[in-house]
Amino acid sequence: MTNKAYIRSTGMYVPENVVTNHELPQELNTNDEWIRQRTGVQERRYAAPGVRTSDLAHKAVKNLLSKGDVAAEEIDCIIFATLSPDFFFPGAGVFLQEKLGWADRHIPCYDIRQQCSGFIYGLQMAQSFVESGMYRNVLLIGAEIHSNLLDFSQRGRAVTVLFGDGAAAVVVSPATDEKSQILSTAVHADGSGALNGIHMKLYDVGKRPCIDYDINDHEVNADFFPDMPASRNLFTNAVRRMTEVCQNSLKKLALTVDDVDWVVPHQANIRINKSMAEHLGIPGEKVLYNIHKYANTTAATIPLLLAEYTENETIRRGDLLLIPAFGSGFVWGTAVVRY
């Protein structure tokens, strides 16, 4: 068998603090019915004060290692996907490496920022690393802490209701048979959508000083919080791009939607995923969700789905998974995986 890669193991962690739609601050001027109808979100998890993204990732990796499918000493590369790193720099990967007690092993740490498509981009990297023989066991993490970055005034309502905190991890290793392997990955980008979809300037390196923040002036501090222009641009692009990349990937493998056992999509919005499935002609019962429990955890949504649905044995070895994602930038892609 030619050198192929597969997803060897999964792990996840979400904070204990559950925040329902009813518990969101009144200042958002919203309600449970409005949020459910437009997003599918019923609740989300918020990390405790002082907890950072690498802390969530650490617990997700510990959960993965506790399953015994892979030993810590086997891992020879770390890829960390997040838009909410612990600090501006260095990246979260080195903090995770140190917390795992692996610093003296000098394992390389890659930090990538492709927002909601971060896991797919990272999976393609991990697949390439393993299939080229550069590394044998790549630890890929998607983790986010959004709750400390959100605007809880009415101005931030459209964004704040969508997001939650969480982390999940997978290990990508050389495939031992044809039953389990990553069949394809495809990723794309369109920079014209960089500021037309959800984005967060936080600072502008073209300004001096780069951050000019005044909590009492809504115009001055607007760049401090995530912003999502009021248009259907993001929704339309997400449905179209994910549908296209899924169709193209299946066609290249001589597969059809009938061959797909499960769609494991990024959890941005339940309406986006339902519309995508409809365009693809995939029955709704084949599309997996947990957005109602965890909201949008960006780079963590797909590995959270993988970890949760393998743990409850919905996803089984040999199942064909179609894994699409779309994120701000715009960046999008899909993976076709024989789990």
Side-chain angles (χ1 to χ4, degrees):
M1 187 178 76
T2 57
N3 201 28
K4 291 287 186 178
Y6 84 117
I7 297 175
R8 183 174 173 183
S9 188
T10 64
M12 64 175 283
Y13 174 77
V14 291
E16 295 179 1
N17 182 26
V18 178
V19 179
T20 68
N21 293 338
H22 298 289
E23 294 172 302
L24 291 170
Q26 292 183 351
E27 287 79 2
L28 282 173
N29 191 25
T30 188
N31 58 66
D32 177 66
E33 182 181 4
W34 189 93
I35 297 171
R36 285 181 185 235
Q37 287 181 350
R38 287 162 177 79
T39 71
V41 178
Q42 299 177 31
E43 60 189 38
R44 71 284 293 145
R45 303 296 179 97
Y46 283 176
V51 173
R52 296 189 173 96
T53 306
S54 64
D55 295 321
L56 300 189
H58 180 216
K59 291 186 177 182
V61 176
K62 286 295 188 183
N63 174 252
L64 181 152
L65 294 173
S66 71
K67 298 178 181 180
D69 299 323
V70 58
E73 56 270 20
E74 293 181 82
I75 294 171
D76 53 1
C77 178
I78 294 172
I79 301 174
F80 201 128
T82 184
L83 64 76
S84 53
D86 295 15
F87 304 102
F88 176 56
F89 69 84
V94 292
F95 293 107
L96 173 62
Q97 183 211 63
E98 192 275 333
K99 288 170 182 175
L100 288 166
W102 301 349
D104 60 348
R105 294 172 53 199
H106 303 164
I107 297 171
C109 299
Y110 292 85
D111 291 86
I112 63 173
R113 300 186 67 171
Q114 275 72 39
Q115 300 69 251
C116 297
S117 295
F119 181 78
I120 298 297
Y121 270 72
L123 188 64
Q124 185 177 76
M125 287 178 63
Q127 176 191 16
S128 299
F129 285 162
V130 170
E131 293 183 354
S132 70
M134 181 174 291
Y135 303 111
R136 286 193 58 81
N137 300 288
V138 179
L139 177 65
L140 170 60
I141 304 101
E144 306 287 358
I145 290 183
H146 290 297
S147 56
N148 296 338
L149 301 171
L150 299 172
D151 181 355
F152 287 92
S153 71
Q154 183 174 340
R155 179 185 60 189
R157 176 176 60 187
V159 174
T160 297
V161 300
L162 294 172
F163 292 96
D165 305 342
V170 304
V171 170
V172 177
S173 301
T176 56
D177 57 49
E178 295 183 356
K179 183 179 180 180
S180 297
Q181 57 184 251
I182 299 169
L183 299 180
S184 79
T185 52
V187 295
H188 303 276
D190 175 3
S192 66
L195 298 181
N196 291 323
I198 187 167
H199 61 276
M200 181 176 179
K201 293 181 179 178
L202 186 60
Y203 82 99
D204 182 346
V205 77
K207 293 180 180 178
R208 185 176 297 159
C210 64
I211 297 176
D212 189 3
Y213 178 62
D214 180 355
I215 192 68
N216 297 311
D217 188 330
H218 281 190
E219 293 305 315
V220 172
N221 72 13
D223 287 352
F224 189 81
F225 297 109
D227 183 34
M228 184 165 58
S231 73
R232 288 185 53 82
N233 191 36
L234 184 62
F235 184 101
T236 302
N237 269 279
V239 173
R240 178 160 61 94
R241 299 303 189 186
M242 287 197 295
T243 300
E244 289 174 349
V245 75
C246 286
Q247 290 172 333
N248 291 338
S249 293
L250 289 172
K251 183 177 180 180
K252 287 180 180 179
L253 293 166
L255 297 171
T256 72
V257 292
D258 293 332
D259 296 307
V260 175
D261 292 300
W262 301 108
V263 181
V264 188
H266 165 59
Q267 303 288 287
N269 183 305
I270 197 167
R271 293 186 300 125
I272 289 175
N273 290 343
K274 285 184 176 180
S275 182
M276 177 196 64
E278 183 178 340
H279 279 76
L280 286 170
I282 291 179
E285 57 267 24
K286 285 189 174 184
V287 185
L288 302 182
Y289 295 98
N290 60 14
I291 188 173
H292 57 291
K293 295 193 293 183
Y294 306 131
N296 183 351
T297 57
T298 312
T301 64
I302 292 172
L304 275 171
L305 278 171
L306 287 172
E308 184 169 16
Y309 281 94
T310 53
E311 183 72 23
N312 66 22
E313 298 185 343
T314 298
I315 296 175
R316 298 173 180 269
R317 284 294 176 191
D319 284 353
L320 187 70
L321 311 181
L322 183 62
I323 311 177
F326 183 91
S328 64
F330 297 125
V331 291
W332 68 95
T334 192
V336 182
V337 173
R338 182 72 68 184
Y339 189 81

